[in-house]
């Protein structure tokens, strides 16, 4: 995720980062014969709506079952896009770009992400993506949440100063009740397993026996689930910035991993902000930077700064912490975060307020994480976990283990979480930065172990979310390995560390 520099940059990320979390069935629980769409038809391509797109990008609409257990019942629309191979004589298949999130649209990705791919890959593949069900130009989902509940400080469970979770309980229950009242059957259908089934419907509509894929962030989990449920339809499978596939926790584990991810990546920011040549130097040492951030957050807890136009209209300690977490997605964001800290220390809030997520993004994010796996309901357990995490991970003050709307969700998961296993073709290449705030290296290693010999991993000794074909923080070593794999199918004989 990229961000332009400037004093409002870190705050703007607070909204954009929703897509990184608001992100399954064991092999025995969900087999390759899981229901797909037997009535998928060929796509009729036409012009895409929007501006700034590759002029060759085409769009189509695919009807898929709302409920795959009832393939003849109600249907919804998926918006699909493609940029055809730039050299049809060299074309070898389709490369599906799997969006992140949950809650990230994908329709523009053949243009935006496609530009990152080398010409040789664009020659070899039609580049295809889609808006997942509920999002963008696909059939829309929504909870009709109150504007106050669209704030990341509502959907992200930052506890009150001192660690009290009473307000989180009230907010979580209200959001869950509102989604149950307004979300309808579409909201209940949102899950990673159904996204994998939708992808197989897209494959059939494309007329492809197999797909290749590049999944990023939450897209790595979708890609892993697809590879487990439909292994015979996978060709060359690239998963970048990888989610922990633990079938007992799934998104619960991803939220908890923010505590790890922030501690993994904050030292990179602290080293940058204490370097003698830093454009915004916060302290003489990395420890000094850490102390300054912790002290400022505590002061803003006690006395927030007025922030007209923001949601809520104040810069408080939790908004600072959320902005820090969001900025740690990329070194490109360091200067904006440092400027925010300097300004807040001087008693100034940013002039521009971050935008809130849209209703469809909020609904898809929440519904997917709540529908994928059961969440604990014991409020006393959440309170104990928050208290312990505040001591062990003070930068995130217990948020990653706090109560969410999923504790009060009205519907149980319809599919069991998928257990990723080593049974299937050996055609997976994992790419991963060693310091990643949203998908920590420790979780990516768990996916590597789950796949066994089906996968190889290319690790990059770098900080940031997104390892392959990264815009400003890339690794020629990793890019070369991914390109070679997509063009030839050749994986490294052993896991690789790119320094």
């Amino acid at each position: 995720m990229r961000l332009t520099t400037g004093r409002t940059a870190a705050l703007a990320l607070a909204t954009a980062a929703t897509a990184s979390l608001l992100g399954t069935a064991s092999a025995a629980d969900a087999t390759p014969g899981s229901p797909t769409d037997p009535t998928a038809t060929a796509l009729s391509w036409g012009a895409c709506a929007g501006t700034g797109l590759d002029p060759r990008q085409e769009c189509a609409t695919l009807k898929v079952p709302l409920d795959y257990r009832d393939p003849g019942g109600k249907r919804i629309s998926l918006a699909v896009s493609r940029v055809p191979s730039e050299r049809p004589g060299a074309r070898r298949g389709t490369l599906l770009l799997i969006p992140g999130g949950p809650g990230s649209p994908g329709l523009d990705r053949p243009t935006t992400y496609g530009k990152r791919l080398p010409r040789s890959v664009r020659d070899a593949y039609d580049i295809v993506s889609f808006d997942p069900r509920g999002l963008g130009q696909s059939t829309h989902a929504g909870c009709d949440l109150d504007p106050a509940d669209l704030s990341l400080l509502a959907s992200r469970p930052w506890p009150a100063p001192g660690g009290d979770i009473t307000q989180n309980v009230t907010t979580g229950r209200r959001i869950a009740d509102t989604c149950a009242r307004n979300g309808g059957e579409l909201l209940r259908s949102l899950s990673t397993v159904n996204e994998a089934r939708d992808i197989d419907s897209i494959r059939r509509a494309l007329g492809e026996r197999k797909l290749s894929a590049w999944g990023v962030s939450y897209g790595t989990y979708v890609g892993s689930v697809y590879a487990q449920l439909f292994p015979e339809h996978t060709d060359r499978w690239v998963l970048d910035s990888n989610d922990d596939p633990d079938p007992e926790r799934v998104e619960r584990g991803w939220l908890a991993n923010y505590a790890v991810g922030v501690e993994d990546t904050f030292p990179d920011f602290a080293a940058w902000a204490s370097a003698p040549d830093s454009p915004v130097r916060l302290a003489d040492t990395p420890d000094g930077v850490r102390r300054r951030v912790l002290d400022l957050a505590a002061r803003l807890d006690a006395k927030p700064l007025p922030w007209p136009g923001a949601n809520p209209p104040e810069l408080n300690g939790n908004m600072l912490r959320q902005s820090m977490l969001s900025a740690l997605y990329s070194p490109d964001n360091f200067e904006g975060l440092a400027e925010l800290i300097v300004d807040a220390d001087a008693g100034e809030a940013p002039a521009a307020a971050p935008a809130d997520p849209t209703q469809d993004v909020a609904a898809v994010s929440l519904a997917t994480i709540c529908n994928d796996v059961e969440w604990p309901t014991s409020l006393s357990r959440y309170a104990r976990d928050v208290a312990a995490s505040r001591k062990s991970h003070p930068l995130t003050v217990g948020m990653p283990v706090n109560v969410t709307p999923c504790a009060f969700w009205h519907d149980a998961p319809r599919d069991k979480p998928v257990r990723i296993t080593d049974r299937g073709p050996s055609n997976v290449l994992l790419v991963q930065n060693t310091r990643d705030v949203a998908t920590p290296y420790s979780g990516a290693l768990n996916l590597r172990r789950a796949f066994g010999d089906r996968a190889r991993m290319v690790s990059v000794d770098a900080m940031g979310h997104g390892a392959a074909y990264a815009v400003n923080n890339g690794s020629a070593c990793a890019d070369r390995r991914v390109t070679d794999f997509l063009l030839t199918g050749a994986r490294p004989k052993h896991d690789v560390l790119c320094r």
Side-chain angles (χ1 to χ4, degrees), residues 91-112:
R91 182 188 180 278
R92 67 168 308 276
T94 291
L95 179 66
L96 181 72
L97 308 183
I98 307 177
S104 289
L107 204 64
D108 292 349
R109 288 189 176 220
T111 292
T112 56

Side-chain angles (χ1 to χ4, degrees), residues 318-479:
N318 283 339
M319 182 57 86
L320 176 69
R321 296 178 184 102
Q322 177 60 54
S323 300
M324 172 199 66
L325 185 158
S326 301
L328 293 176
Y329 275 66
S330 170
D332 291 351
N333 308 326
F334 286 177
E335 188 170 348
L337 175 60
E339 290 177 347
L340 167 65
I341 292 166
V342 169
D343 288 349
D345 255 340
E348 299 178 16
D356 290 328
T358 58
Q359 290 281 355
D360 61 337
V361 167
V364 171
S365 300
L366 280 167
T368 303
I369 70 170
C370 297
N371 290 339
D372 269 1
V373 68
E374 295 277 4
W375 287 67
T377 58
S378 169
L379 301 183
S380 60
R381 172 180 169 180
Y382 285 112
R384 289 194 302 270
D385 289 347
V386 166
S389 184
R390 287 172 63 82
K391 294 178 181 178
S392 60
H393 297 87
L395 289 170
T396 47
V397 295
M399 181 278 289
V401 294
N402 199 4
V403 64
T404 74
C406 298
F408 312 103
W409 207 245
H410 288 227
D411 299 294
R414 295 180 173 183
D415 293 288
K416 293 182 179 180
V418 170
R419 182 178 298 279
I420 308 304
T421 75
D422 60 0
R423 296 190 293 278
S426 298
N427 62 352
V428 180
L429 185 67
L430 308 179
V431 195
Q432 180 74 34
N433 287 330
T434 56
R435 300 182 304 285
D436 184 328
V437 68
T439 56
Y441 194 53
S442 53
L445 290 175
N446 287 339
L447 181 60
R448 172 68 183 88
R449 283 188 284 268
F451 270 127
D453 198 51
R454 294 179 69 186
R456 296 288 184 270
M457 176 177 273
V458 176
S459 303
V460 183
D461 184 14
M463 176 264 185
H465 187 56
Y469 308 123
V471 175
N472 292 327
N473 190 42
S475 163
C477 166
D479 292 355

